[in-house]
């Protein structure tokens, strides 16, 4: 009773930390009962907990004892699988060394216990209250979409790609990929795909003959010239309140001239999505169904080329929705507290 | 926890600063309460002392009155005693004088002092000795003197002499 009274008297501070490839974004929200009073975001050029980050966080957390620090898990040994039955866990993944959580009695997300311990140790100076999986963030972000028919949902982070396939709110397939690690094995994957080209269910729909970024960069330049195949009918399929937002985002993206590095990264992302989709189709563990739509939560600012790749090469309907990972983490933390 | 791998740390409004502040206020309030209790106690003892002092004062006043009454009584007793002493001295002198009046040949057997008189019983060898040696001085002192005789076995005479002093004549003589 007394605790609730004090809780009502104080504002809540939500500190949300997103670790990127070479920097750390810290987004802080100061919330009252009526909503967000103040918010501030700062980016620090380090992956570790520096004095600057501590000072920045402390400047807000000292205002209220009710502060919650959330971190987005970026460990490579994380994922999700479509069951909550412990007896079936081993069928998908050995979770003996992992922390796992079941969602809606339908699917489970997991991460390495060592990585959680490492995060807690790394941030012990400021403490950690929540560690969220990118898959929960993805499902929460596309809450209005995952209950519909089957589609792939992708969370684009700086250096990471989290993919999930949902059908009617149920997860069918998920994978978390590190672009750098996955990029190293890309050749192997490509050659693997090519060697199994005849077995690939995408074979009929996607012609990969012209795609060889490493050997032929000129072909990649052509991707920028590919006409936008988005038709108005396709846009109408998306919920109306998101159309304007996404169209504006596309317009902004077209203005931005992506450099070679972004271009390469987008291609890597495209390859990862393609490979993951191939796994989904091929792996017997998963109930593979044909995917027509792909929803991308863009937390890094992908170029329009990625959309073109996916549309041109994989014949997918691509919908990109920009997301601020810090804000999404904050909303997850609020959900946890409620 | 539904989405997070870990549970949040327990949050409390009693931060170190708040605890310090509460300690300060608690100590201050305790000191005020202690001071208040001390003042209440002092007030209680003061009222109690005042009451006992008033009672003592009343007792002393009463005792003082008693003492004054005693002093007055003692003074009166002293005055009375002095008066009695004076009277006794006068009486003693009178008796001494009386016995000085009695000649050697007459023997008194009894003497009764009255308020305004004297009755003497005795034995005399004869009436003349009595009349000349005792009755004459008695008549000079008393206004009225009555004598009666009756014979004794040895031939002497027993006598009873009744003498009175009249008040009116006394006052007149004083005037």
């Amino acid at each position: 009773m007394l605790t609730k009274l004090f809780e009502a008297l104080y504002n809540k501070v939500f500190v949300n930390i997103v670790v990127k490839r070479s920097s750390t974004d810290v987004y802080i929200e100061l919330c009252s009962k009526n909503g967000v009073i103040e918010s501030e975001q700062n980016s620090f050029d380090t992956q570790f907990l520096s004095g600057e980050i501590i000072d920045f966080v402390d400047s807000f957390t000292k205002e209220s004892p009710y502060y919650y620090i959330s971190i987005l898990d970026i460990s490579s040994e994380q994922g999700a699988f479509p069951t909550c039955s412990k007896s079936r866990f081993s069928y998908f993944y050995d979770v003996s060394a992992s922390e796992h959580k079941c969602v809606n009695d339908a699917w489970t997300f997991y991460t390495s216990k060592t990585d959680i311990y490492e995060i807690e140790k790394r941030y012990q100076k400021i403490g950690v209250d929540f560690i969220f999986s990118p898959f929960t963030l993805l499902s929460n972000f596309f809450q209005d979409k995952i209950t519909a028919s089957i589609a792939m949902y992708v969370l684009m982070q700086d250096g990471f790609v989290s993919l999930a396939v949902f059908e009617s709110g149920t997860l069918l397939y998920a994978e978390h990929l590190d672009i750098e690690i996955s990029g190293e094995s890309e050749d192997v994957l490509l050659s693997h795909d090519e060697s199994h080209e005849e077995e690939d269910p995408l074979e009929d729909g996607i012609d990969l003959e012209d795609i060889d970024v490493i050997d032929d960069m000129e072909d990649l330049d052509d991707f920028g010239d590919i006409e936008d195949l988005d038709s108005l009918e396709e846009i109408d399929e998306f919920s109306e309140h998101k159309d304007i937002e996404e169209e504006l985002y596309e317009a902004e993206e077209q203005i931005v001239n992506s450099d070679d590095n972004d271009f390469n990264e987008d291609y890597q992302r495209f390859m990862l999505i393609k490979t993951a989709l191939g796994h989904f189709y091929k792996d017997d563990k998963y109930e593979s169904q044909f995917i027509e739509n792909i929803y991308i939560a863009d937390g890094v600012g992908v170029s329009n080329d990625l959309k073109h790749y996916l549309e041109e090469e994989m014949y997918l309907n691509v919908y990109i929705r920009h997301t601020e990972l810090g804000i999404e983490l904050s909303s997850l933390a609020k959900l946890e507290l409620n | 926890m539904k989405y997070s791998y870990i549970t949040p740390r327990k949050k409390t409004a009693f931060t170190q600063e708040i605890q310090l502040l509460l300690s300060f206020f608690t100590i201050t309030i305790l000191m005020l309460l202690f001071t208040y209790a001390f003042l209440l106690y002092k007030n209680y003892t003061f009222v109690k002392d005042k009451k006992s002092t008033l009672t003592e004062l009343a007792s002393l006043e009463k005792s003082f009155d008693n003492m004054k009454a005693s002093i007055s009584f003692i003074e009166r007793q002293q005055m009375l005693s002095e008066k009695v002493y004076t009277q006794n001295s006068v009486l003693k002198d009178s008796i001494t004088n009386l016995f000085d009046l009695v000649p050697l040949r007459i023997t008194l057997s009894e003497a009764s002092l009255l308020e305004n008189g004297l009755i003497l019983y005795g034995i005399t060898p004869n009436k003349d000795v009595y009349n000349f040696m005792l009755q004459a001085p008695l008549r000079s002192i008393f206004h009225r003197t009555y004598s009666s005789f009756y014979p004794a076995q040895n031939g002497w005479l027993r006598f009873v002499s009744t003498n009175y002093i009249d008040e009116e004549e006394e006052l007149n003589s004083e005037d």
Side-chain angles (χ1 to χ4, degrees):
Chain A
M1 185 71 185
L2 195 67
T3 313
K4 291 202 171 185
L5 179 72
F6 277 120
E7 212 171 326
L9 288 173
Y10 282 101
N11 290 327
K12 283 193 178 73
V13 180
F14 292 96
V15 179
N16 309 286
I17 300 172
V18 179
V19 181
K20 293 183 171 181
R21 194 183 296 161
S22 59
S23 64
T24 303
D25 283 355
V26 181
Y27 172 74
I28 298 178
E29 266 185 9
L30 187 65
C31 299
S32 70
K33 283 171 77 177
N34 300 325
V36 179
I37 302 169
E38 188 187 344
S39 65
E40 196 166 328
Q41 179 153 1
N42 216 339
S43 189
F44 301 91
D45 294 329
T46 175
Q47 273 192 311
F48 303 98
L49 186 67
S50 65
E52 281 179 314
I53 294 176
I54 293 172
D55 290 344
F56 181 63
V57 171
D58 281 350
S59 66
F60 284 89
T61 54
K62 72 182 178 188
E63 287 184 19
S64 169
Y66 295 96
Y67 65 88
Y68 300 91
I69 297 174
S70 314
I71 290 176
L72 184 63
D73 184 22
I74 57 165
S75 67
S76 54
E77 290 180 35
Q78 65 172 315
F81 45 76
T83 183
C84 273
S85 168
K86 287 187 179 177
S87 58
R88 292 197 66 210
F89 280 2
S90 57
Y91 180 68
F92 294 101
Y93 189 77
D94 179 16
V95 292
S96 57
S98 302
E99 190 71 44
H100 54 88
K101 290 270 167 190
C102 175
V103 182
N104 299 331
D105 267 341
W107 58 282
T108 303
F109 60 90
Y110 62 88
T111 192
S112 160
K113 282 179 181 172
T114 315
D115 289 332
I116 288 178
Y117 174 73
E118 262 184 37
I119 290 170
E120 286 181 320
K121 195 179 174 187
R122 183 182 290 182
Y123 292 94
Q124 66 181 356
K125 281 184 182 172
I126 56 171
V128 181
D129 293 296
F130 301 117
I131 299 174
F132 292 114
S133 164
F135 297 105
T136 54
L137 192 147
L138 195 62
S139 67
N140 188 55
F141 184 67
F142 285 117
Q143 208 169 13
D144 55 333
K145 299 293 173 197
I146 60 172
T147 49
S149 59
I150 188 167
M152 177 173 260
Y153 300 88
V154 184
L155 177 66
M156 292 294 182
Q157 299 177 65
D158 186 16
F160 307 96
V161 176
S162 303
L163 311 103
V165 177
F166 283 97
E167 185 188 23
S168 306
T170 308
L171 181 128
L172 300 179
Y173 170 79
E175 200 165 357
H176 177 76
L177 300 163
D178 188 326
I179 291 175
E180 284 186 352
I181 295 169
S182 303
E184 288 169 9
S185 58
E186 201 167 280
D187 288 336
V188 180
L189 288 170
L190 278 172
S191 61
H192 175 79
D193 287 345
E194 282 166 3
S195 64
H196 294 83
E197 215 167 52
E198 289 174 7
E199 297 167 19
D200 195 342
L202 291 171
E203 186 189 17
D204 296 337
I206 301 170
D207 185 4
L208 297 173
E209 280 179 5
D210 294 334
I211 301 171
D212 191 348
V213 70
I214 297 162
D215 297 329
D216 190 358
M217 290 301 287
E218 285 177 10
D219 289 342
L220 290 178
D221 291 334
D222 293 340
F223 280 115
D225 301 328
I226 294 170
E227 286 179 15
D228 190 351
L229 296 177
D230 268 355
S231 63
L232 283 172
E233 290 80 10
E234 284 171 349
I235 291 168
D236 288 341
E237 288 173 12
F238 209 43
S239 63
E240 286 179 11
H241 69 283
K242 288 292 173 188
D243 288 347
I244 298 168
E245 184 189 332
E246 281 155 11
E247 280 181 54
L248 282 172
Y249 179 68
E250 284 173 15
E252 284 174 11
E253 283 298 306
Q254 283 169 354
I255 293 167
V256 175
N257 292 320
S258 54
D259 57 20
D260 287 345
N261 191 35
D262 288 344
F263 182 82
N264 189 33
E265 275 194 9
D266 280 348
Y267 183 70
Q268 282 180 320
R269 289 185 184 109
F270 161 71
M271 289 305 296
L272 290 176
I273 293 168
K274 185 173 159 252
T275 310
L277 202 56
H279 285 167
F280 173 62
Y281 286 143
K282 283 188 295 182
D283 201 329
D284 296 335
K285 289 184 203 171
Y286 307 106
E287 295 174 25
S288 58
Q289 293 180 46
F290 189 70
I291 292 170
E292 289 181 40
N293 300 318
I294 180 165
Y295 295 92
I296 296 173
D298 180 16
V300 69
V302 294
S303 71
N304 216 27
D305 297 327
L306 177 68
K307 186 179 178 185
H308 290 308
Y309 298 153
L310 294 168
E311 285 173 342
E312 299 291 330
E313 300 299 322
M314 296 174 75
Y315 299 105
L316 291 166
N317 298 322
V318 183
Y319 305 99
I320 299 174
R321 195 189 286 181
H322 182 68
T323 179
E324 289 292 341
L325 295 175
I327 295 173
E328 294 309 316
L329 273 184
S330 187
S331 65
L332 275 178
K334 285 171 197 167
L335 275 176
E336 284 287 74
L337 291 177
N338 295 332
Chain B
M1 290 291 98
K2 203 173 166 188
Y3 298 116
S4 173
Y5 289 116
I6 58 169
T7 50
R9 294 162 294 170
K10 197 178 176 186
K11 307 293 176 186
T12 174
F14 296 101
T15 56
Q16 280 190 334
E17 290 83 2
I18 297 289
Q19 281 176 6
L20 190 70
L21 200 68
L22 283 177
S23 305
F24 173 75
F25 278 119
T26 308
I27 290 166
T28 309
I29 288 166
L30 283 175
M31 284 175 73
L32 285 171
L33 285 174
F34 176 75
T35 310
Y36 179 67
F38 177 73
L39 288 174
L40 275 181
Y41 172 73
K42 290 303 284 181
N43 189 43
Y44 168 75
T45 53
F46 176 76
V47 169
K48 193 177 170 184
D49 287 351
K50 185 185 167 187
K51 199 174 174 182
S52 66
T53 307
L54 284 173
T55 310
E56 197 177 347
L57 182 69
S59 168
L60 284 172
E61 279 177 350
K62 194 177 174 183
S63 173
F64 182 67
D65 289 342
N66 287 339
M67 284 175 78
K68 275 171 77 176
S70 296
I71 288 166
S72 173
F73 177 69
I74 288 165
E75 280 177 349
R76 282 203 306 277
Q77 276 187 328
Q78 189 191 7
M79 285 173 68
L80 184 64
S81 68
E82 283 176 356
K83 187 180 174 184
V84 168
Y85 179 77
T86 308
Q87 283 178 346
N88 286 343
S89 298
V90 170
L91 186 61
K92 185 185 168 189
D93 290 342
S94 300
I95 290 168
T96 306
N97 291 334
L98 174 65
F99 287 132
D100 286 343
L101 286 174
V102 179
L104 290 171
R105 293 183 68 182
I106 292 171
T107 305
L108 290 180
S109 57
E110 187 181 341
S112 296
L113 284 171
L114 302 174
E115 192 176 353
N116 58 345
L118 173 68
I119 299 171
L120 296 172
Y121 299 93
I123 186 166
T124 179
N126 50 57
K127 280 189 179 179
D128 293 333
V129 172
Y130 174 79
N131 289 331
F132 289 109
M133 294 185 75
L134 184 61
Q135 192 174 28
L138 288 171
R139 278 186 176 172
S140 64
I141 298 165
F142 298 97
H143 296 117
R144 285 178 289 125
T145 301
Y146 305 103
S147 304
S148 57
F149 298 95
Y150 54 94
Q153 287 180 348
N154 58 359
W156 287 24
L157 291 171
R158 290 188 180 274
F159 64 88
V160 177
S161 175
T162 308
N163 308 283
Y164 296 103
I165 294 171
D166 295 332
E167 292 287 334
E168 290 179 0
E169 286 187 19
E170 182 83 5
L171 290 169
N172 290 334
S173 65
E174 284 178 3
D175 291 337

